Amino acid sequence: MTDAAFQDSYDENVAHCYGCGRLNEHGLQLKSYWDGDETVAVFEPRPWHTATPGYVYGGLIASLIDCHGTGSAAAAAYRQAGREMGSEPRLRYVTAGLHVDYLRPTPMGVLLEVRGRISEIKGRKVIVDMIVSAEGEACARGQVIAVQMPDSMKRAGE
Amino acid sequence: MTDAAFQDSYDENVAHCYGCGRLNEHGLQLKSYWDGDETVAVFEPRPWHTATPGYVYGGLIASLIDCHGTGSAAAAAYRQAGREMGSEPRLRYVTAGLHVDYLRPTPMGVLLEVRGRISEIKGRKVIVDMIVSAEGEACARGQVIAVQMPDSMKRAGE
């Protein structure tokens, strides 16, 4: 895997995301990396991220897919351009469409792996397909349609 | 609107959901109600539920859609059976499929309304279509395919 997380390259102004912003102290702070042509993130749900006792909350799984998807989209756009992640002009993505199929109840108490594959990259849009697995067994399948972040969202914190 | 929230009728053993469980003190505790033939929930994001500063995190919006969807599914199944919500045997649903289209950045600092419509109810499956709006303007469109909770998930906490 690469050394630096995609999310650690985000500009300070757009690093407050609840799911993956390094500057959001209440958030999940998801970290995503390249692993060859795939992207990977690992997350351990907190004890309160339950659906029913013993199983992980589906909204948390959707959140992991959301943030791993937009992070993977940015990383793929930089890689396609042959540029180092975080270099100017910045490439940062938001989710236009999110889809999750829950394949089986996801167990609590173990690390979850989110593994992504870039299915399409064209213009301002990137499609990322993902699998969330627990101990090697797929629990959810996700897709994010990511688009470049509109300038209005970047300016909000200025 | 009806007086009692759908989620307040959930059995104690399945009331720990991070998104809507009344017994999850760290969670969002979403509450959903009937409003005629539609279902409605209102939620005010916490200050840390940001995407970028000023806008609501997409994973939170997905979570609201998830829990309002499964709650609406249960309410619709009880209503179809002509039974009071919470009566035995319990009808409780989980999400098999979740889809969210983000229509525009969702502003922070205002109440969000999630409004649901039962699109299909057949056998163990209910499909709920939803709109999330802020100050009357639609920000996201969501769909949940809900299925009756497997017994394995109900037993987890016993």
Side-chain angles (χ1 to χ4, degrees):
Chain A
M1 296 200 312
T2 46
D3 284 344
F6 303 159
Q7 291 87 358
D8 288 339
S9 77
Y10 291 169
D11 194 38
E12 239 179 59
N13 194 35
V14 290
H16 294 81
C17 173
Y18 181 76
C20 64
R22 67 184 181 279
L23 302 179
N24 191 325
E25 62 185 28
H26 296 280
L28 308 175
Q29 303 214 356
L30 187 73
K31 305 284 187 195
S32 304
Y33 304 86
W34 281 115
D35 181 17
D37 285 339
E38 295 186 337
T39 60
V40 67
V42 170
F43 187 83
E44 182 166 7
R46 320 291 192 253
W48 50 85
H49 287 144
T50 46
T52 62
Y55 297 105
V56 178
Y57 173 49
L60 177 79
I61 292 168
S63 297
L64 301 180
I65 287 170
D66 183 13
C67 284
H68 187 64
T70 52
S72 298
Y78 273 109
R79 184 178 266 197
Q80 190 190 49
R83 290 170 48 198
E84 192 176 347
M85 193 150 187
S87 62
E88 301 287 349
R90 300 270 184 164
L91 295 168
R92 181 84 159 83
Y93 284 75
V94 292
T95 302
L98 170 71
H99 187 87
V100 185
D101 290 317
Y102 297 92
L103 306 176
R104 66 181 189 109
T106 301
M108 288 290 287
V110 298
L111 294 174
L112 301 183
E113 184 192 75
V114 192
R115 189 163 279 273
R117 193 171 48 80
I118 310 301
S119 301
E120 186 181 316
I121 174 166
K122 195 174 175 186
R124 294 173 66 85
K125 187 173 89 171
V126 182
I127 299 178
V128 185
D129 282 289
M130 286 158 275
I131 292 286
V132 179
S133 56
E135 300 187 304
E137 199 163 351
C139 300
R141 187 172 47 224
Q143 184 183 72
V144 158
I145 298 174
V147 295
Q148 277 192 38
M149 183 179 282
D151 286 343
S152 62
M153 289 189 77
K154 294 181 192 164
R155 281 195 296 265
E158 289 173 5
Chain B
M1 295 199 312
T2 45
D3 284 343
F6 303 159
Q7 291 87 357
D8 288 340
S9 77
Y10 291 168
D11 193 39
E12 238 179 60
N13 194 35
V14 290
H16 294 81
C17 174
Y18 181 76
C20 65
R22 68 185 180 280
L23 302 179
N24 190 327
E25 63 184 26
H26 296 278
L28 308 175
Q29 303 213 355
L30 187 73
K31 305 285 187 194
S32 305
Y33 304 87
W34 281 116
D35 181 18
D37 284 338
E38 294 185 338
T39 59
V40 68
V42 171
F43 187 83
E44 183 167 7
R46 320 292 192 251
W48 50 86
H49 287 144
T50 46
T52 62
Y55 297 105
V56 178
Y57 174 48
L60 178 80
I61 292 168
S63 297
L64 301 180
I65 288 170
D66 183 14
C67 284
H68 187 63
T70 51
S72 298
Y78 273 109
R79 186 178 264 198
Q80 190 190 49
R83 291 170 47 196
E84 192 176 347
M85 192 150 187
S87 63
E88 301 286 349
R90 301 270 184 163
L91 295 168
R92 181 83 159 83
Y93 283 75
V94 292
T95 301
L98 170 70
H99 187 88
V100 185
D101 290 318
Y102 297 93
L103 306 175
R104 66 179 190 109
T106 302
M108 287 290 288
V110 298
L111 294 175
L112 301 183
E113 184 192 75
V114 191
R115 189 162 279 274
R117 193 171 47 79
I118 310 301
S119 300
E120 186 182 318
I121 174 166
K122 194 174 175 186
R124 295 173 66 86
K125 187 173 88 172
V126 181
I127 299 178
V128 185
D129 281 290
M130 286 158 274
I131 293 285
V132 179
S133 57
E135 299 185 306
E137 198 164 350
C139 300
R141 186 171 50 224
Q143 184 183 72
V144 157
I145 298 174
V147 295
Q148 277 191 37
M149 184 179 282
D151 287 342
S152 61
M153 288 189 77
K154 295 181 192 164
R155 280 197 296 265
E158 288 173 6

Short mmCIF file of all heavy atoms in Angstrom, two decimals, chain B residues 54-99:
data_model
loop_
_atom_site.label_atom_id
_atom_site.label_comp_id
_atom_site.label_asym_id
_atom_site.label_seq_id
_atom_site.Cartn_x
_atom_site.Cartn_y
_atom_site.Cartn_z
N GLY B 54 -20.37 24.28 6.28
CA GLY B 54 -21.59 24.88 5.77
C GLY B 54 -22.55 23.89 5.11
O GLY B 54 -23.71 24.22 4.88
N TYR B 55 -22.06 22.68 4.85
CA TYR B 55 -22.89 21.69 4.16
C TYR B 55 -22.91 20.36 4.91
O TYR B 55 -21.93 20.00 5.56
CB TYR B 55 -22.40 21.48 2.72
CG TYR B 55 -22.52 22.74 1.91
CD1 TYR B 55 -21.41 23.52 1.61
CD2 TYR B 55 -23.77 23.19 1.51
CE1 TYR B 55 -21.54 24.71 0.89
CE2 TYR B 55 -23.91 24.37 0.80
CZ TYR B 55 -22.80 25.13 0.50
OH TYR B 55 -22.95 26.30 -0.18
N VAL B 56 -24.04 19.65 4.76
CA VAL B 56 -24.26 18.42 5.53
C VAL B 56 -23.57 17.23 4.85
O VAL B 56 -23.60 17.09 3.63
CB VAL B 56 -25.77 18.14 5.67
CG1 VAL B 56 -26.01 16.83 6.42
CG2 VAL B 56 -26.45 19.29 6.39
N TYR B 57 -23.00 16.39 5.69
CA TYR B 57 -22.31 15.16 5.25
C TYR B 57 -23.28 14.19 4.56
O TYR B 57 -24.32 13.83 5.12
CB TYR B 57 -21.68 14.50 6.48
CG TYR B 57 -21.05 13.16 6.23
CD1 TYR B 57 -20.18 12.96 5.15
CD2 TYR B 57 -21.32 12.07 7.03
CE1 TYR B 57 -19.61 11.73 4.91
CE2 TYR B 57 -20.74 10.84 6.82
CZ TYR B 57 -19.89 10.67 5.75
OH TYR B 57 -19.32 9.45 5.51
N GLY B 58 -22.88 13.72 3.38
CA GLY B 58 -23.72 12.80 2.60
C GLY B 58 -23.98 11.49 3.31
O GLY B 58 -25.05 10.89 3.13
N GLY B 59 -23.04 11.02 4.10
CA GLY B 59 -23.24 9.76 4.83
C GLY B 59 -24.32 9.90 5.89
O GLY B 59 -25.03 8.94 6.20
N LEU B 60 -24.46 11.10 6.45
CA LEU B 60 -25.55 11.34 7.41
C LEU B 60 -26.89 11.30 6.68
O LEU B 60 -27.86 10.69 7.16
CB LEU B 60 -25.38 12.69 8.11
CG LEU B 60 -26.54 12.98 9.06
CD1 LEU B 60 -26.37 12.24 10.38
CD2 LEU B 60 -26.74 14.45 9.30
N ILE B 61 -26.93 11.92 5.51
CA ILE B 61 -28.18 11.91 4.73
C ILE B 61 -28.55 10.48 4.36
O ILE B 61 -29.72 10.07 4.46
CB ILE B 61 -27.99 12.80 3.48
CG1 ILE B 61 -27.86 14.27 3.93
CG2 ILE B 61 -29.14 12.62 2.50
CD1 ILE B 61 -27.41 15.21 2.85
N ALA B 62 -27.56 9.67 3.99
CA ALA B 62 -27.81 8.25 3.69
C ALA B 62 -28.34 7.54 4.93
O ALA B 62 -29.23 6.68 4.83
CB ALA B 62 -26.53 7.59 3.19
N SER B 63 -27.83 7.90 6.09
CA SER B 63 -28.27 7.26 7.34
C SER B 63 -29.73 7.61 7.66
O SER B 63 -30.51 6.75 8.10
CB SER B 63 -27.37 7.70 8.50
OG SER B 63 -26.04 7.26 8.29
N LEU B 64 -30.10 8.87 7.43
CA LEU B 64 -31.49 9.28 7.67
C LEU B 64 -32.42 8.52 6.73
O LEU B 64 -33.49 8.04 7.14
CB LEU B 64 -31.65 10.79 7.45
CG LEU B 64 -30.78 11.71 8.32
CD1 LEU B 64 -31.05 13.18 7.98
CD2 LEU B 64 -31.01 11.46 9.81
N ILE B 65 -32.01 8.39 5.48
CA ILE B 65 -32.82 7.67 4.49
C ILE B 65 -32.92 6.20 4.88
O ILE B 65 -34.00 5.59 4.79
CB ILE B 65 -32.20 7.86 3.09
CG1 ILE B 65 -32.45 9.30 2.62
CG2 ILE B 65 -32.73 6.83 2.09
CD1 ILE B 65 -31.69 9.70 1.37
N ASP B 66 -31.82 5.63 5.33
CA ASP B 66 -31.79 4.23 5.74
C ASP B 66 -32.82 3.98 6.85
O ASP B 66 -33.71 3.13 6.73
CB ASP B 66 -30.36 3.91 6.21
CG ASP B 66 -30.16 2.46 6.62
OD1 ASP B 66 -31.02 1.62 6.29
OD2 ASP B 66 -29.13 2.17 7.26
N CYS B 67 -32.73 4.74 7.92
CA CYS B 67 -33.59 4.49 9.09
C CYS B 67 -35.03 4.93 8.87
O CYS B 67 -35.95 4.29 9.39
CB CYS B 67 -33.00 5.17 10.33
SG CYS B 67 -31.58 4.26 10.98
N HIS B 68 -35.22 6.01 8.15
CA HIS B 68 -36.61 6.39 7.86
C HIS B 68 -37.24 5.35 6.92
O HIS B 68 -38.44 5.07 7.02
CB HIS B 68 -36.66 7.78 7.23
CG HIS B 68 -38.06 8.30 7.08
ND1 HIS B 68 -38.88 8.54 8.15
CD2 HIS B 68 -38.79 8.59 5.97
CE1 HIS B 68 -40.06 8.96 7.71
NE2 HIS B 68 -40.03 9.00 6.40
N GLY B 69 -36.42 4.77 6.07
CA GLY B 69 -36.91 3.74 5.15
C GLY B 69 -37.35 2.47 5.86
O GLY B 69 -38.45 1.96 5.63
N THR B 70 -36.52 1.98 6.77
CA THR B 70 -36.89 0.74 7.46
C THR B 70 -38.05 0.99 8.43
O THR B 70 -38.92 0.14 8.58
CB THR B 70 -35.68 0.13 8.21
OG1 THR B 70 -35.08 1.13 9.03
CG2 THR B 70 -34.65 -0.41 7.23
N GLY B 71 -38.06 2.16 9.05
CA GLY B 71 -39.18 2.50 9.93
C GLY B 71 -40.48 2.60 9.15
O GLY B 71 -41.52 2.07 9.58
N SER B 72 -40.43 3.25 8.01
CA SER B 72 -41.63 3.39 7.17
C SER B 72 -42.11 2.02 6.68
O SER B 72 -43.32 1.78 6.57
CB SER B 72 -41.32 4.30 5.97
OG SER B 72 -40.97 5.60 6.41
N ALA B 73 -41.15 1.15 6.38
CA ALA B 73 -41.50 -0.20 5.91
C ALA B 73 -42.28 -0.95 6.98
O ALA B 73 -43.31 -1.58 6.69
CB ALA B 73 -40.22 -0.96 5.54
N ALA B 74 -41.79 -0.87 8.21
CA ALA B 74 -42.48 -1.56 9.31
C ALA B 74 -43.87 -0.97 9.52
O ALA B 74 -44.87 -1.70 9.65
CB ALA B 74 -41.65 -1.45 10.59
N ALA B 75 -43.95 0.35 9.50
CA ALA B 75 -45.25 1.01 9.71
C ALA B 75 -46.24 0.62 8.61
O ALA B 75 -47.43 0.37 8.87
CB ALA B 75 -45.05 2.52 9.73
N ALA B 76 -45.75 0.54 7.38
CA ALA B 76 -46.62 0.18 6.26
C ALA B 76 -47.10 -1.26 6.36
O ALA B 76 -48.25 -1.57 6.03
CB ALA B 76 -45.87 0.40 4.94
N ALA B 77 -46.21 -2.13 6.82
CA ALA B 77 -46.60 -3.55 6.96
C ALA B 77 -47.67 -3.71 8.04
O ALA B 77 -48.64 -4.46 7.87
CB ALA B 77 -45.37 -4.39 7.29
N TYR B 78 -47.52 -3.00 9.15
CA TYR B 78 -48.55 -3.04 10.20
C TYR B 78 -49.86 -2.46 9.67
O TYR B 78 -50.94 -3.01 9.91
CB TYR B 78 -48.10 -2.23 11.43
CG TYR B 78 -47.27 -3.01 12.42
CD1 TYR B 78 -45.92 -2.76 12.57
CD2 TYR B 78 -47.85 -4.00 13.22
CE1 TYR B 78 -45.15 -3.47 13.49
CE2 TYR B 78 -47.09 -4.71 14.15
CZ TYR B 78 -45.75 -4.43 14.27
OH TYR B 78 -45.01 -5.15 15.18
N ARG B 79 -49.76 -1.35 8.97
CA ARG B 79 -50.98 -0.70 8.47
C ARG B 79 -51.70 -1.61 7.48
O ARG B 79 -52.93 -1.75 7.51
CB ARG B 79 -50.63 0.63 7.81
CG ARG B 79 -51.84 1.44 7.39
CD ARG B 79 -51.46 2.78 6.78
NE ARG B 79 -51.50 3.85 7.77
CZ ARG B 79 -51.54 5.16 7.47
NH1 ARG B 79 -51.54 5.54 6.20
NH2 ARG B 79 -51.61 6.07 8.41
N GLN B 80 -50.94 -2.26 6.61
CA GLN B 80 -51.54 -3.16 5.63
C GLN B 80 -52.26 -4.33 6.33
O GLN B 80 -53.31 -4.80 5.86
CB GLN B 80 -50.49 -3.71 4.67
CG GLN B 80 -51.12 -4.45 3.47
CD GLN B 80 -50.08 -5.20 2.66
OE1 GLN B 80 -49.25 -5.93 3.19
NE2 GLN B 80 -50.14 -5.03 1.35
N ALA B 81 -51.67 -4.78 7.43
CA ALA B 81 -52.27 -5.90 8.17
C ALA B 81 -53.40 -5.44 9.09
O ALA B 81 -54.05 -6.26 9.75
CB ALA B 81 -51.18 -6.60 8.99
N GLY B 82 -53.63 -4.13 9.14
CA GLY B 82 -54.68 -3.60 10.00
C GLY B 82 -54.35 -3.75 11.47
O GLY B 82 -55.25 -3.87 12.31
N ARG B 83 -53.06 -3.75 11.79
CA ARG B 83 -52.62 -3.97 13.17
C ARG B 83 -51.96 -2.74 13.74
O ARG B 83 -51.35 -1.95 13.03
CB ARG B 83 -51.63 -5.14 13.21
CG ARG B 83 -52.27 -6.50 12.90
CD ARG B 83 -51.18 -7.54 12.72
NE ARG B 83 -50.21 -7.45 13.79
CZ ARG B 83 -49.00 -7.99 13.75
NH1 ARG B 83 -48.60 -8.67 12.68
NH2 ARG B 83 -48.17 -7.86 14.78
N GLU B 84 -52.03 -2.62 15.06
CA GLU B 84 -51.36 -1.51 15.74
C GLU B 84 -49.85 -1.73 15.71
O GLU B 84 -49.38 -2.86 15.93
CB GLU B 84 -51.85 -1.44 17.19
CG GLU B 84 -51.44 -0.16 17.90
CD GLU B 84 -52.02 -0.09 19.31
OE1 GLU B 84 -52.93 -0.90 19.61
OE2 GLU B 84 -51.57 0.76 20.09
N MET B 85 -49.12 -0.67 15.48
CA MET B 85 -47.66 -0.82 15.41
C MET B 85 -47.10 -1.27 16.75
O MET B 85 -47.46 -0.73 17.80
CB MET B 85 -47.03 0.51 14.97
CG MET B 85 -45.59 0.33 14.60
SD MET B 85 -44.97 1.47 13.36
CE MET B 85 -43.34 0.71 13.12
N GLY B 86 -46.23 -2.27 16.70
CA GLY B 86 -45.62 -2.81 17.91
C GLY B 86 -46.32 -4.05 18.42
O GLY B 86 -45.81 -4.73 19.30
N SER B 87 -47.52 -4.35 17.84
CA SER B 87 -48.24 -5.53 18.31
C SER B 87 -47.53 -6.80 17.83
O SER B 87 -46.76 -6.78 16.86
CB SER B 87 -49.69 -5.49 17.83
OG SER B 87 -49.75 -5.52 16.41
N GLU B 88 -47.80 -7.90 18.55
CA GLU B 88 -47.15 -9.18 18.22
C GLU B 88 -47.95 -9.94 17.16
O GLU B 88 -49.17 -9.85 17.16
CB GLU B 88 -47.04 -10.05 19.49
CG GLU B 88 -46.26 -9.41 20.63
CD GLU B 88 -44.75 -9.39 20.41
OE1 GLU B 88 -44.27 -10.05 19.46
OE2 GLU B 88 -44.06 -8.69 21.16
N PRO B 89 -47.28 -10.72 16.27
CA PRO B 89 -45.83 -10.83 16.14
C PRO B 89 -45.23 -9.56 15.53
O PRO B 89 -45.84 -8.95 14.66
CB PRO B 89 -45.65 -12.04 15.21
CG PRO B 89 -46.91 -12.07 14.40
CD PRO B 89 -48.00 -11.55 15.29
N ARG B 90 -44.05 -9.20 16.02
CA ARG B 90 -43.40 -7.96 15.63
C ARG B 90 -43.00 -7.98 14.14
O ARG B 90 -42.53 -9.00 13.64
CB ARG B 90 -42.12 -7.76 16.44
CG ARG B 90 -42.38 -7.70 17.92
CD ARG B 90 -42.64 -6.28 18.38
NE ARG B 90 -42.79 -6.27 19.84
CZ ARG B 90 -42.72 -5.17 20.57
NH1 ARG B 90 -42.52 -3.99 20.00
NH2 ARG B 90 -42.88 -5.22 21.87
N LEU B 91 -43.15 -6.83 13.54
CA LEU B 91 -42.69 -6.66 12.16
C LEU B 91 -41.55 -5.65 12.19
O LEU B 91 -41.75 -4.49 12.56
CB LEU B 91 -43.84 -6.13 11.28
CG LEU B 91 -45.01 -7.09 11.11
CD1 LEU B 91 -46.21 -6.37 10.49
CD2 LEU B 91 -44.60 -8.28 10.24
N ARG B 92 -40.36 -6.10 11.84
CA ARG B 92 -39.19 -5.22 11.90
C ARG B 92 -38.38 -5.46 10.62
O ARG B 92 -38.22 -6.61 10.20
CB ARG B 92 -38.39 -5.56 13.16
CG ARG B 92 -37.15 -4.71 13.37
CD ARG B 92 -37.47 -3.39 14.05
NE ARG B 92 -36.27 -2.84 14.66
CZ ARG B 92 -35.34 -2.13 14.00
NH1 ARG B 92 -35.50 -1.87 12.71
NH2 ARG B 92 -34.28 -1.68 14.63
N TYR B 93 -37.89 -4.39 10.04
CA TYR B 93 -37.26 -4.48 8.72
C TYR B 93 -35.80 -4.05 8.76
O TYR B 93 -35.39 -3.23 9.60
CB TYR B 93 -38.04 -3.59 7.73
CG TYR B 93 -39.33 -4.26 7.30
CD1 TYR B 93 -40.43 -4.31 8.15
CD2 TYR B 93 -39.43 -4.89 6.07
CE1 TYR B 93 -41.60 -4.96 7.79
CE2 TYR B 93 -40.60 -5.53 5.69
CZ TYR B 93 -41.68 -5.56 6.56
OH TYR B 93 -42.83 -6.22 6.18
N VAL B 94 -35.03 -4.58 7.83
CA VAL B 94 -33.65 -4.14 7.61
C VAL B 94 -33.50 -3.75 6.14
O VAL B 94 -34.33 -4.10 5.30
CB VAL B 94 -32.61 -5.23 7.96
CG1 VAL B 94 -32.59 -5.49 9.45
CG2 VAL B 94 -32.87 -6.51 7.18
N THR B 95 -32.42 -3.03 5.86
CA THR B 95 -32.19 -2.54 4.51
C THR B 95 -31.42 -3.57 3.68
O THR B 95 -30.33 -3.99 4.08
CB THR B 95 -31.40 -1.22 4.58
OG1 THR B 95 -32.16 -0.30 5.35
CG2 THR B 95 -31.17 -0.65 3.19
N ALA B 96 -32.00 -3.95 2.57
CA ALA B 96 -31.30 -4.83 1.63
C ALA B 96 -30.59 -3.99 0.57
O ALA B 96 -29.49 -4.31 0.13
CB ALA B 96 -32.29 -5.79 0.97
N GLY B 97 -31.24 -2.90 0.15
CA GLY B 97 -30.64 -2.01 -0.84
C GLY B 97 -30.93 -0.56 -0.50
O GLY B 97 -32.03 -0.23 -0.03
N LEU B 98 -29.93 0.28 -0.70
CA LEU B 98 -30.03 1.71 -0.38
C LEU B 98 -29.52 2.49 -1.58
O LEU B 98 -28.43 2.19 -2.09
CB LEU B 98 -29.16 2.02 0.84
CG LEU B 98 -28.94 3.49 1.21
CD1 LEU B 98 -30.21 4.12 1.74
CD2 LEU B 98 -27.82 3.60 2.26
N HIS B 99 -30.29 3.47 -2.01
CA HIS B 99 -29.82 4.31 -3.11
C HIS B 99 -30.08 5.77 -2.76
O HIS B 99 -31.16 6.11 -2.28
CB HIS B 99 -30.54 3.94 -4.42
CG HIS B 99 -29.98 4.66 -5.58
ND1 HIS B 99 -28.92 4.17 -6.31
CD2 HIS B 99 -30.27 5.86 -6.11
CE1 HIS B 99 -28.59 5.04 -7.24
NE2 HIS B 99 -29.40 6.08 -7.15
#
